Amino acid sequence: MSTRIPGAAAAMRKAPRQARSRAMVDAIVEAGARVLDARGWAGFTTNEVAGVAGVSIGSLYQYFPDKTALLDAIRRRHFEAVLAVLRSAVDGQAAPEGLAEALVDGMIAIHRDYPALHRVLLDLPNPYAGEAAHRAFLDEYLRLYGVIVARHRGPDDADGVAAHLLSSAIEGVIHNAARRGLLAHAGLGRELRGLVCSYLGVAAIPAGRSATA
């Protein structure tokens, strides 16, 4: 199932149609993430992004009218990455220990590559972020957490409180660690996996042992 967020091209001048143009847009968005991580919003310029991506500024402007539109694309790509980790954990792991490992390690990984970028995404409002697109992301995000809760704690979460609590715990720990520069700390994943396992009603994975071992 696709993780694409509805309305993803809302802030773009046009959507890429061919494989070559899609690859160029992907390269621009990746370069944008790198520059935003290194420079912050104040130092984030389309000229530098074009240089890092290896494209002309004109090529960048074919798809992104300004740096705020590019920020929107970076934010949406992050939404898609988060949903991909959730779906992978739900679809690929039957045991709660393995699910906790896949979920926590996956979420840390997508935040660890550009920790300063994620601080910007947390702190900076985006006028292009459509309410419908953001709601679609949140609905799917909580639905997947609901699947996890129902699978391991039973189907008694009709109001979604348990799914909201679990998602908020993981999100809060990781976002706070990103703000403080602690995502690479060796104990973070272990402790967070233990928290998830405890909430799902199973024993935590012993230190130094993989759930897939």
Side-chain angles (χ1 to χ4, degrees):
M1 184 182 295
S2 172
T3 61
R4 187 66 58 186
I5 302 298
M12 298 177 68
R13 290 188 188 278
K14 64 179 182 178
R17 302 295 182 189
Q18 300 180 340
R20 183 177 178 180
S21 58
R22 287 195 298 270
M24 182 173 68
V25 167
D26 286 345
I28 292 170
V29 175
E30 172 64 20
R34 290 175 57 190
V35 173
L36 196 57
D37 179 72
R39 305 290 190 193
W41 180 246
F44 182 63
T45 68
T46 51
N47 279 312
E48 183 167 2
V49 171
V52 172
V55 303
S56 70
I57 190 65
S59 294
L60 184 149
Y61 282 137
Q62 284 184 38
Y63 296 96
F64 300 102
D66 52 36
K67 71 176 189 177
T68 309
L70 183 52
L71 173 67
D72 179 71
I74 295 167
R75 192 188 303 273
R76 290 173 187 271
R77 187 177 73 162
H78 178 62
F79 287 167
E80 293 159 9
V82 167
L83 293 183
V85 168
L86 273 165
R87 287 201 177 101
S88 178
V90 167
D91 295 341
Q93 301 291 338
E97 299 92 337
L99 185 146
E101 185 173 19
L103 179 58
V104 169
D105 291 359
M107 289 296 186
I108 289 175
I110 61 174
H111 289 80
R112 186 174 52 213
D113 287 345
Y114 301 118
L117 161 68
H118 294 295
R119 291 195 291 273
V120 174
L121 295 183
L122 288 170
D123 295 337
L124 191 66
N126 186 347
Y128 284 125
E131 181 64 28
H134 192 223
R135 174 52 54 189
F137 163 73
L138 289 176
D139 286 349
E140 180 66 358
Y141 179 75
L142 289 174
R143 186 192 74 80
L144 289 165
Y145 271 107
V147 171
I148 292 171
V149 168
R151 181 180 297 173
H152 299 291
R153 287 172 58 99
D156 298 328
D157 188 37
D159 55 4
V161 170
H164 179 75
L165 192 152
L166 180 61
S167 65
S168 296
I170 295 172
E171 178 182 318
V173 168
I174 290 177
H175 284 174
N176 191 47
R179 289 182 188 277
R180 299 182 179 214
L182 298 175
L183 285 175
H185 193 284
L188 178 69
R190 182 183 66 251
E191 294 298 327
L192 190 51
R193 288 193 298 270
L195 184 151
V196 172
C197 285
S198 179
Y199 191 73
L200 295 178
V202 298
I205 304 166
R209 179 181 148 200
S210 169
T212 56

